[in-house]
Amino acid sequence: MTALRLSEKRKFDINSKKDIDIYRYFLINSDWKITGTCPFDLEFPYLTVPDMIKDKLIRKYLKV
């Protein structure tokens, strides 16, 4: 993958295998080197992108 610019950030898609794989890489390696920088927009009311994604995944799989 190529590095993304800040202007290319997008909403995390809970149903996208690509987005899940990017997050999985982040969890394993503690960095966004696979994309160069975090490719996702931070959404309200979250404080960090990793916590936002974690919460979205939990809610999806627990059907909350």
Side-chain angles (χ1 to χ4, degrees):
M1 288 187 196
T2 60
L4 299 174
R5 293 184 198 135
L6 291 176
S7 62
E8 295 176 353
K9 291 190 179 227
R10 65 186 188 283
K11 185 173 180 179
F12 177 78
D13 181 357
I14 193 76
N15 298 307
S16 167
K17 183 179 181 332
K18 179 181 175 183
D19 285 2
I20 300 291
D21 287 343
I22 291 170
Y23 180 61
R24 179 182 294 121
Y25 179 91
F26 174 80
L27 290 177
I28 292 168
N29 298 288
S30 298
D31 66 45
W32 298 105
K33 286 183 184 173
I34 192 169
T35 55
T37 185
C38 177
F40 307 114
D41 283 324
L42 181 61
E43 300 171 27
F44 182 81
Y46 301 102
L47 298 177
T48 68
V49 171
D51 286 337
M52 174 188 75
I53 295 171
K54 178 175 58 177
D55 186 62
K56 287 179 178 237
L57 288 169
I58 289 169
R59 290 175 181 276
K60 176 182 178 178
Y61 289 105
L62 294 181
K63 299 181 189 312
V64 179

